[in-house]
Amino acid sequence: MDDTNNDPVLARLDRLTDSVTRRLDKLEERLRILEQDNGEIINLLIAVKAGLEECAGELAVGEMLMEAEETDDSPSPSLH
């Protein structure tokens, strides 16, 4: 009797193969979602970095203007 359709070991292997395949499919889907989320996070971090660099530049300009005003407001030596 060589009926492989009734072999319990082969049937179990088929079920295990199906189970592993489903789990791998789920893992691949999760990985795709994580990759997409990571891409979105990276884009947000790039935007935050650009905003911080812009603010830093504005602060530097503001500091230069304040220093220039302080220099203009300082009393000039009199020539008496």
Side-chain angles (χ1 to χ4, degrees):
M1 230 189 199
D2 192 26
D3 190 11
T4 56
N5 291 333
N6 292 328
D7 188 352
V9 174
L10 290 178
R12 175 112 171 107
L13 282 174
D14 284 342
R15 287 192 304 274
L16 287 172
T17 300
D18 291 343
S19 177
V20 168
T21 301
R22 283 193 305 273
R23 288 183 183 193
L24 284 174
D25 289 343
K26 287 179 184 178
L27 286 172
E28 287 175 353
E29 180 62 26
R30 288 181 187 170
L31 182 60
R32 280 192 290 276
I33 290 169
L34 285 173
E35 287 173 342
Q36 181 180 354
D37 289 347
N38 285 343
E40 291 173 8
I41 290 169
I42 289 169
N43 288 336
L44 289 171
L45 289 172
I46 290 169
V48 167
K49 179 183 175 198
L52 289 172
E53 288 173 346
E54 182 179 337
C55 288
E58 290 174 5
L59 285 173
V61 169
E63 287 177 6
M64 290 183 343
L65 290 174
M66 288 175 53
E67 289 174 3
E69 287 177 1
E70 288 173 1
T71 303
D72 290 344
D73 292 344
S74 63
S76 53
S78 53
L79 299 172
H80 292 298

